[in-house]
Amino acid sequence: MPVFNQSRGRIVQIIFAVVFLVIIGQLINLQLFSVKYKLAAENNAILRKVVYPDRGIIFDRKGRAILENTISYDLVVIPSETKGLDTASLCGLLNIDTAEYKKRIRDLIFKNGYVKPSVFEPLLTNEMFARLNENIYKFPGFSLTERSVRTYPYSAAGNVLGYIREVDTAYLRVHKDEGYQMGDYAGMTGLERYYEKVLMGQRGVKNFIRDNKSRIQGPYENGIYDTAAVAGKNIHTSLDVELQKLGEKLMTNKVGSIVAIDPKTGGILCMVSAPTYNPNYLTGSQNKRHLADLLLDPRLPLNNRGLTTRYAPGSTFKTVVGIIGLTEGVIDLNTTVVCPGYFTGCGTGKPKCLDKGVFQFTDAVAHSDNSYFSTVYKRFLEQNKFPSTDSAIGAFNVYANSFGLGHKLGVDLPFEKSGLIPAASNYYKEFGRKLFPCNLISNAIGQGKVETTLVQLANVMAIIANKGWYYTPHLVDSIEGGDDEGLLDEFKVKRHTDNRIPESVFNSVQDGMQAVVEYGTAVRSRIPDIIMCGKTGTVENYAKVNGVMKKQPDHSFFGAFAPRDNPRIAIAVICENSDQGARVAAPIASLIVEKYLRDSIKGKERQDMVEEYTNRVYLPPVMRMAIAKQDSLRKLRENQQLLEQKLNKKESEEGTDEESIGEEPAEQGATPAAPVKKAPQPKPLPKKKPDTTPAALTKDDRKYKRTAR
Amino acid sequence: MNNRNNTISQGVDWTIIWLYAILVSIGILCIFMVEYRIDSNWLQSFLGGKTNYSKQLIFAGVCAIVATFILLTDSKLFTAFANLLYAFGILLMLATFVLGKNINGSKSWIPIGGGFNLQPAELCKIFTALALAKFISRQETDFSKLRSQLIAGLIAATPALLSILQHELGLALVYSAFLVAMYREGLPAQIPIVGSSFAILVVATLILDPNVLAISLTVIAALILLLLRKQAKKSKRLMVLVVGIWLLCVGTQRFVVPYIFNNVLECYQSTRIYSMVGKEYDCSQNKKSERKAGEKAARKPDDYNVRQSKIAIGSGGLTGRGFLKGTQTRGKYVPEQHTDFIFTSLGEAFGFVGCFVFLCIYLFLLFRIVKIAERQRSTFSRVYAYSVASILFFHIAVNVSMTIGLFPIVGIPLPLISYGGSSLLTFTILIFVLLRLDADRQMVLR
């Protein structure tokens, strides 16, 4: 027994201890000093699921929900559980073929894995849901899950209410710290966008534990880190949905806008932008295609022409010029101006006036005499107290700005335009540093460089109705549960026009405007038993057609308020490229006013008027050409496809005869040989579409809402 | 008989039995943590025999019976049957080549019916330990002789070689644990030193750029010659020795190591070792994978296991997430967590404190066995005890090191903790045979 090796026992122990120390050293490194493993573990195992609250509901002034939530169903599949599935019958129900089915399943497995539920078909239509719901037990691995979607019960006011979309990277970049993530929805236009913070509510978070295949195992720590979702706040608007629907109906096949304001509160009663679209088209299963169609439409149906388009206000601006002239004392009610057919003050023969004669103030307003207001404007600018025309313009603009013109009003909708009340500097380029009143004279009649939005114009009408004050026009009256963000504060501030303007001046202008309707330009738009004050406007305009500036049909304007005593509605209407203000805009405005004040249109004559104006078509020629071009291009493409199909068919089944083409839709089959020749129709009168659920429409009807109802 | 029983229970080292019982209980709890599902009735499944932890409980019961039997036998039995058992073990291992069942790519299991499989290589550890102890304790063996050392080496190497042929590299490595026992018995210290130097050289080869390593080796050799220039002038032999070692090192680094990785090891083994030092191994250089490429494209292995294992242990922090609260364990992120990676569940649930206590229990067990070894009168018992200690040590060190990323992944279970009947039975027998021998420590066994 070699005793001398005894010490080696100690060495062996030391080796053991050293190795254990190394292990403990690495454990200290891993467990005490490395943060990344903890993070990695959380990333591995904790699934944070965002719980989306219902968005807030939007009500109109009478408490009718005009934008609310409904439940839609998604068809969800777990690919790993679809064994033994009757693929053919499922495909039959879904109207797809098995190849498509296999492709989709393959894509889902690729995107979302084999064992996790993925959406096979989102947002089923009602009939599809009914059909599937009966049979879903036959299809293992498939299930129907609810989801909340937006719905517009009146199919109206799409431009005002806006829509929600999945956020894109650009949106995420802008709203970095607001907790959005890919796949979230956010309001993109209209009230949905402006009141996004109010409507979206507070999202909740649920923490789940998931396993190595991302299957959920249960709540994490029994949910102590979870937060509950708080539903979005409901908002009450001043809109009158009946009025809105009537407006949209009247503006069918026209381009333009109607804005009506309650002068007492500044609440917007209706804001029609034509052409509009059925907002429900952007919620169904085909919403992406519909949105693309709307975006590509040359009529720009997604624009809100009420406040994102700037128009020269035309003669409606004369009211403002008149008020300023009377206030400054450059004219009085008895001042007379002669109109020999054109304005004589500048020697250019411009602007022309239609009614020849001698005018006092009231009649000048009533007959919209260009010479009279050109004279007023010229006299204002030539006053001795102004050292130069520049300072005169400045003084004029102080007045104009106090009417809410030339700057954004602050309406609670996105993308509002500011309009333009030109300053002296706007003219330097054209006329040099020294300006003369005659350079600017067309501003007097609301042409030239003056531009307003339609809301501003309606607001001017409200100011005249109120005799000198207004509240900022707005849609939202109140937010349920309180306005925490202070979004509505601005709408509670009473704003006054320039304090030099006495009430008597407003009375005089109201006299003139009453005369417009009583016996002036808009006499045909008189509403029996209602005293309405209005002002027509007819705006010349030009557009570039094939590179040449060409005169287009006039824009038709009308601004009004009623009744004269205790006014309840102020309104502005534009119908682009239609006719004189008195012929289109004024009747439409009068119908809206009557509807609002009386809740209905009285008398057979007036009711016929509704139908007559609904059926009128005033599509701007420029747009008509663009549509024709788009249509013919599409036709060309379709025919080409058809030809290719035919050729392919011939190649594949040599022996079979032409009859196989008979399966194609008859209309297409008829003109395969002459693809381009089909000339665009001169007046594309759109078909009236029946009242059906949007997603069930065929391709032709799907377009967008040309006929409001 | 009664009287004799009394003497047995007096002679038995109860500390070891307690440690053994504690470790087996920890093992069952760890497996329970891995398999536990919130919605299941754990008591029922514990008794049901369907889940792994209840199976392990049954194994533990079987082991208790076996342990009792071992304690009741006569110590002389082990010396008498040592060689016979060894021969039997080798035979069993050879039999796997005929009867073997393929489990997880290694053909080292023999089905014994009832859904149970036997891994002869596990049992062979016991037999080898006994045979080695028997050989060294022979009166005619003089372990200071090279011849005896070679024979002892051969005893340990034979089952190791067979394991390699069964593609069980991990088990084969375990047999190197016998070096510790042999070292205690007088194996020249140079062998472990040379061995560890070689290991350092291999690691250096992996980590450093070949040229940098060659240059630094040359610099070291030159420095040594510079320091010893007076002695070198006197004796040419020293000079030759230094130059020889230098040549050997550079040769190893340049040719031997790449040869081992490309020609001896499988592609996945090389990759695991390379991934230890954070490098990628290019499998196209591997001769063995080339041969296989014709049959089936080899799946590219990655370090998923180690990564997940480190995440699980690292997420435990100081005190751990608590019993049954580990998210990684519940989510089954660590593959093979109930067998080779059982340490991760412990690390996640009880954190550094738990791991430290656990390792201390192990270290205490090892030291206790070494202490027992040193108090033996007979060489047989001592050699055997050292074998047990070193086998245990090797298992623990390699297994824990691989879960925390200090060692490449080899399939070695954690003694008494990992799920598996073969492994538990082997360690039970190893330990209780030791206890039986220790109880008779006053006897001189040969």
Side-chain angles (χ1 to χ4, degrees):
Chain A
M1 221 200 301
V3 189
F4 53 84
N5 283 334
Q6 199 107 47
S7 63
R8 288 192 171 182
R10 189 59 59 189
I11 293 174
V12 168
Q13 278 179 330
I14 290 170
I15 293 172
F16 287 0
V18 166
V19 170
F20 271 67
L21 277 177
V22 170
I23 288 172
I24 284 172
Q26 170 75 347
L27 280 175
I28 289 174
N29 172 31
L30 284 182
Q31 298 189 305
L32 303 184
F33 295 113
S34 300
V35 192
K36 63 172 183 177
Y37 293 109
K38 254 196 178 121
L39 285 176
E42 302 219 325
N43 285 343
N44 261 353
I46 297 176
L47 178 69
R48 290 165 52 84
K49 222 179 192 176
V50 178
V51 185
Y52 291 93
D54 278 348
R55 279 180 84 85
I57 300 170
I58 299 180
F59 296 100
D60 85 337
R61 65 189 297 115
K62 289 176 182 159
R64 293 170 288 208
I66 45 177
L67 174 51
E68 59 179 346
N69 304 306
T70 182
I71 284 169
S72 186
Y73 290 86
D74 292 344
L75 183 63
V76 171
V77 63
I78 302 173
S80 64
E81 292 173 13
T82 55
K83 297 213 171 65
L85 178 83
D86 184 357
T87 316
S89 79
L90 179 68
C91 292
L93 284 174
L94 289 168
N95 297 328
I96 56 173
D97 56 16
T98 35
E100 165 78 13
Y101 170 85
K102 279 182 189 144
K103 186 177 162 287
R104 282 203 210 169
I105 291 281
R106 219 172 30 239
D107 290 350
L108 290 180
I109 292 173
F110 179 71
K111 267 196 279 189
N112 208 12
Y114 194 57
V115 292
K116 275 195 285 179
S118 326
V119 175
F120 186 81
E121 172 100 26
L123 300 166
L124 300 169
T125 60
N126 288 344
E127 349 164 15
M128 190 77 92
F129 169 69
R131 248 187 291 165
L132 281 169
N133 202 17
E134 279 175 13
N135 296 299
I136 199 76
Y137 70 94
K138 290 183 199 160
F139 307 120
F142 280 88
S143 57
L144 295 162
T145 57
E146 289 180 3
R147 85 148 108 159
S148 175
V149 291
R150 291 300 244 176
T151 181
Y152 305 76
Y154 290 87
S155 301
N159 303 77
V160 175
L161 297 173
Y163 54 83
I164 53 169
R165 292 269 100 191
E166 228 175 295
V167 296
D168 54 14
T169 44
Y171 190 92
L172 289 176
R173 219 177 302 126
V174 176
H175 302 261
K176 220 186 291 170
D177 304 320
E178 292 165 36
Y180 289 99
Q181 53 190 32
M182 234 31 203
D184 286 2
Y185 282 77
M188 291 296 158
T189 58
L191 290 176
E192 289 269 45
R193 181 189 178 103
Y194 194 91
Y195 289 97
E196 167 71 15
K197 280 207 179 109
V198 177
L199 291 169
M200 72 184 280
Q202 221 172 50
R203 281 171 294 185
V205 174
K206 273 192 176 156
N207 295 292
F208 292 101
I209 293 185
R210 64 176 169 191
D211 70 356
N212 56 349
K213 293 191 172 110
S214 281
R215 287 174 298 206
I216 288 174
Q217 300 294 299
Y220 174 63
E221 300 276 323
N222 283 326
I224 52 168
Y225 299 113
D226 295 358
T227 52
V230 180
K233 291 176 184 168
N234 298 341
I235 58 183
H236 292 265
T237 64
S238 53
L239 276 181
D240 184 325
V241 72
E242 299 267 325
L243 208 61
Q244 179 79 19
K245 292 210 79 159
L246 177 67
E248 287 181 9
K249 184 181 172 190
L250 288 168
M251 291 302 281
T252 310
N253 287 319
K254 299 166 192 71
V255 176
S257 176
I258 302 173
V259 175
I261 298 176
D262 181 350
K264 292 272 183 301
T265 62
I268 293 173
L269 301 171
C270 77
M271 184 182 267
V272 178
S273 171
T276 183
Y277 61 97
N278 183 342
N280 283 320
Y281 283 7
L282 296 181
T283 60
S285 55
Q286 296 293 310
N287 63 59
K288 282 190 180 134
R289 257 170 71 198
H290 288 164
L291 184 66
D293 280 350
L294 291 176
L295 286 170
L296 291 175
D297 195 299
R299 283 162 292 197
L300 309 174
L302 291 173
N303 270 13
N304 185 350
R305 290 180 165 80
L307 78 172
T308 63
T309 310
R310 308 183 340 174
Y311 293 105
S315 305
T316 48
F317 188 61
K318 286 173 187 167
T319 51
V320 179
V321 175
I323 289 168
I324 295 169
L326 285 171
T327 308
E328 283 283 313
V330 295
I331 50 162
D332 59 34
L333 293 176
N334 302 319
T335 308
T336 54
V337 171
V338 184
C339 171
Y342 52 88
F343 175 53
T344 52
C346 287
T348 55
K350 273 183 180 173
K352 292 194 169 72
C353 51
L354 299 173
D355 296 323
K356 292 174 190 167
V358 183
F359 293 99
Q360 283 186 328
F361 182 77
T362 310
D363 288 350
V365 175
H367 295 289
S368 192
D369 181 44
N370 286 345
S371 291
Y372 191 93
F373 289 96
S374 300
T375 308
V376 175
Y377 189 59
K378 188 158 177 268
R379 282 190 192 171
F380 177 90
L381 296 180
E382 284 171 347
Q383 283 179 94
N384 286 334
K385 61 178 175 181
F386 301 129
S388 67
T389 313
D390 288 20
S391 62
I393 295 171
F396 183 85
N397 289 358
V398 170
Y399 280 110
N401 288 339
S402 76
F403 280 82
L405 300 174
H407 56 84
K408 286 181 189 172
L409 281 173
V411 180
D412 47 356
L413 282 175
F415 316 124
E416 190 192 349
K417 288 274 164 30
S418 57
L420 180 69
I421 297 297
S425 57
N426 293 65
Y427 290 94
Y428 290 158
K429 219 172 150 189
E430 226 173 312
F431 301 111
R433 279 276 162 182
K434 181 120 179 75
L435 294 178
F436 297 98
C438 279
N439 295 147
L440 320 172
I441 207 71
S442 51
N443 288 340
I445 56 166
Q447 301 219 309
K449 283 199 193 296
V450 176
E451 278 179 338
T452 68
T453 65
L454 205 67
V455 181
Q456 284 174 338
L457 206 56
N459 191 40
V460 167
M461 293 303 142
I463 290 167
I464 298 171
N466 288 335
K467 298 178 187 171
W469 57 266
Y470 70 101
Y471 287 106
T472 300
H474 57 272
L475 284 152
V476 174
D477 281 340
S478 63
I479 298 173
E480 267 180 31
D483 173 23
D484 298 332
E485 315 261 335
L487 289 168
L488 306 182
D489 293 351
E490 283 292 301
F491 307 139
K492 296 192 176 91
V493 182
K494 196 170 183 180
R495 294 163 207 279
H496 293 271
T497 50
D498 197 292
N499 53 19
R500 284 169 289 181
I501 309 173
E503 205 184 305
S504 58
V505 168
F506 284 108
N507 286 332
S508 314
V509 173
Q510 286 191 358
D511 286 341
M513 287 172 73
Q514 189 178 344
V516 168
V517 184
E518 300 280 311
Y519 58 87
T521 47
V523 68
R524 273 162 299 182
S525 305
R526 212 147 64 99
I527 313 165
D529 306 327
I530 291 177
I531 299 174
M532 179 165 79
C533 299
K535 181 74 199 77
T536 55
T538 306
V539 179
E540 293 180 359
N541 62 99
Y542 297 83
K544 211 172 224 179
V545 182
N546 298 329
V548 188
M549 283 305 259
K550 234 172 136 184
K551 192 169 190 314
Q552 301 289 310
D554 292 338
H555 289 336
S556 175
F557 271 95
F558 191 66
F561 60 90
R564 183 175 169 175
D565 301 318
N566 189 21
R568 288 174 55 207
I569 178 170
I571 188 169
V573 178
I574 176 183
C575 187
E576 286 182 33
N577 301 117
S578 51
D579 207 332
Q580 288 179 5
R583 296 215 178 131
V584 187
I588 289 176
S590 78
L591 289 168
I592 299 275
V593 168
E594 185 180 358
K595 168 82 183 166
Y596 180 68
L597 294 180
R598 290 205 177 124
D599 235 21
S600 61
I601 310 282
K602 254 193 186 168
K604 174 101 176 54
E605 199 188 335
R606 300 274 295 166
Q607 276 161 11
D608 289 347
M609 218 162 116
V610 173
E611 289 312 310
E612 190 204 329
Y613 281 95
T614 304
N615 292 334
R616 286 204 190 176
V617 176
Y618 290 116
L619 272 184
V622 184
M623 285 184 187
R624 203 172 285 167
M625 279 164 61
I627 294 168
K629 195 167 154 193
Q630 215 180 38
D631 283 351
S632 61
L633 277 174
R634 185 185 302 133
K635 205 120 259 145
L636 183 69
R637 220 167 25 237
E638 277 170 8
N639 283 329
Q640 256 170 3
Q641 275 171 2
L642 201 70
L643 265 174
E644 272 168 29
Q645 270 175 21
K646 223 165 106 180
L647 285 174
N648 288 345
K649 247 181 205 167
K650 262 189 190 162
E651 274 170 23
S652 59
E653 26 184 300
E654 277 283 73
T656 53
D657 55 357
E658 288 290 300
E659 266 169 10
S660 58
I661 295 147
E663 292 163 14
E664 302 295 333
E667 168 214 45
Q668 292 179 345
T671 55
V676 215
K677 283 291 168 273
K678 198 168 181 188
Q681 288 163 337
K683 267 195 185 181
L685 259 172
K687 287 170 236 165
K688 284 224 167 185
K689 74 171 170 53
D691 244 343
T692 44
T693 46
L697 292 170
T698 59
K699 200 182 172 243
D700 274 5
D701 284 1
R702 160 173 65 64
K703 285 301 306 179
Y704 60 81
K705 203 170 80 166
R706 291 172 184 170
T707 50
R709 55 194 56 244
Chain B
M1 196 65 193
N2 204 3
N3 191 19
R4 190 181 155 77
N5 257 355
N6 265 345
T7 53
I8 287 172
S9 61
Q10 272 167 14
V12 166
D13 189 278
W14 280 100
T15 318
I16 300 261
I17 293 183
W18 277 116
L19 287 171
Y20 170 85
I22 289 169
L23 284 169
V24 171
S25 315
I26 292 175
I28 292 172
L29 279 182
C30 283
I31 298 165
F32 178 64
M33 277 197 288
V34 174
E35 306 257 314
Y36 174 74
R37 287 280 159 274
I38 276 185
D39 42 353
S40 62
N41 181 349
W42 60 271
L43 190 66
Q44 200 175 25
S45 45
F46 240 119
L47 304 173
K50 292 260 164 55
T51 50
N52 283 334
Y53 46 87
S54 90
K55 276 189 197 165
Q56 185 79 349
L57 195 64
I58 294 168
F59 291 145
V62 172
C63 286
I65 296 166
V66 171
T68 319
F69 268 104
I70 291 172
L71 288 182
L72 289 175
T73 50
D74 194 324
S75 321
K76 291 204 182 83
L77 221 70
F78 304 119
T79 50
F81 282 100
N83 288 337
L84 201 64
L85 284 171
Y86 181 70
F88 172 68
I90 297 291
L91 244 158
L92 267 184
M93 285 191 78
L94 287 171
T96 54
F97 291 104
V98 186
L99 304 168
K101 186 180 164 190
N102 198 336
I103 291 178
N104 292 339
S106 77
K107 217 179 163 188
S108 61
W109 298 81
I110 297 176
I112 52 170
F116 292 103
N117 300 303
L118 184 78
Q119 200 174 17
E122 284 278 352
L123 287 175
C124 224
K125 278 185 269 190
I126 313 165
F127 305 150
T128 311
L130 287 171
L132 189 70
K134 173 85 177 173
F135 173 73
I136 293 175
S137 66
R138 281 193 320 167
Q139 216 137 34
E140 55 269 37
T141 306
D142 178 1
F143 202 64
S144 57
K145 293 248 173 69
L146 184 66
R147 200 181 111 88
S148 315
Q149 290 164 2
L150 279 179
I151 291 173
L154 199 65
I155 291 172
T158 311
L161 270 174
L162 288 172
S163 286
I164 289 175
L165 292 177
Q166 291 169 345
H167 299 287
E168 282 282 2
L169 187 69
L171 281 173
L173 279 175
V174 172
Y175 286 94
S176 62
F178 289 109
L179 277 175
V180 176
M182 287 192 246
Y183 167 75
R184 166 64 184 82
E185 290 311 311
L187 197 69
Q190 286 91 326
I191 291 177
I193 291 172
V194 169
S196 44
S197 309
F198 179 74
I200 291 168
L201 193 64
V202 169
V203 172
T205 312
L206 289 177
I207 294 173
L208 297 172
D209 182 76
N211 291 331
V212 173
L213 185 62
I215 291 166
S216 41
L217 281 173
T218 314
V219 169
I220 292 168
L223 274 175
I224 291 171
L225 281 181
L226 202 70
L227 286 172
L228 303 176
R229 57 184 179 276
K230 280 183 186 161
Q231 287 94 322
K233 267 177 197 162
K234 280 178 200 155
S235 78
K236 283 271 186 266
R237 278 184 64 192
L238 189 71
M239 182 122 165
V240 171
L241 187 72
V242 172
V243 173
I245 291 173
W246 173 76
L247 270 177
L248 198 69
C249 287
V250 174
T252 308
Q253 171 248 335
R254 277 281 148 145
F255 306 106
V256 178
V257 174
Y259 180 83
I260 291 173
F261 278 101
N262 292 341
N263 299 37
V264 178
L265 295 176
E266 300 272 351
C267 167
Y268 74 91
Q269 292 165 337
S270 303
T271 312
R272 281 179 186 176
I273 295 169
Y274 266 77
S275 76
M276 289 290 310
V277 295
K279 284 188 177 177
E280 275 204 23
Y281 176 72
D282 182 10
C283 263
S284 61
Q285 295 175 348
N286 194 298
K287 289 285 175 321
K288 289 198 174 178
S289 69
E290 257 174 37
R291 217 170 35 228
K292 274 184 184 167
E295 306 154 19
K296 191 178 150 194
R299 193 176 61 87
K300 200 185 169 195
D302 62 0
D303 60 343
Y304 178 83
N305 287 24
V306 186
R307 208 171 60 236
Q308 293 299 338
S309 151
K310 279 163 99 173
I311 287 173
I313 293 174
S315 71
L318 180 64
T319 53
R321 289 179 184 272
F323 184 60
L324 298 179
K325 283 185 182 151
T327 53
Q328 307 300 296
T329 306
R330 278 182 61 191
K332 297 204 170 302
Y333 285 95
V334 188
E336 292 297 322
Q337 206 185 3
H338 61 297
T339 57
D340 293 351
F341 284 89
I342 192 78
F343 185 67
T344 56
S345 69
L346 199 101
E348 196 193 8
F350 302 112
F352 176 71
V353 174
C355 290
F356 186 78
V357 171
F358 177 70
L359 288 174
C360 282
I361 296 174
Y362 260 146
L363 198 60
F364 184 48
L365 177 72
L366 291 176
F367 278 19
R368 183 81 197 166
I369 294 173
V370 171
K371 195 184 165 197
I372 287 174
E374 290 296 344
R375 75 184 182 201
Q376 302 302 317
R377 285 190 66 201
S378 63
T379 312
F380 180 84
S381 302
R382 188 176 65 238
V383 173
Y384 180 77
Y386 267 106
S387 300
V388 172
S390 45
I391 289 171
L392 277 172
F393 166 73
F394 200 87
H395 270 95
I396 297 162
V398 170
N399 182 286
V400 175
S401 299
M402 85 186 186
T403 59
I404 57 178
L406 284 178
F407 199 83
I409 295 177
V410 284
I412 290 183
L414 194 58
L416 308 177
I417 306 290
S418 284
Y419 170 77
S422 279
S423 151
L424 185 62
L425 190 67
T426 309
F427 288 110
T428 308
I429 295 172
L430 269 179
I431 289 170
F432 280 87
V433 167
L434 172 66
L435 289 179
R436 175 63 261 174
L437 292 172
D438 178 53
D440 294 331
R441 57 181 168 269
Q442 302 308 326
M443 287 166 63
V444 175
L445 298 162
R446 290 210 187 272

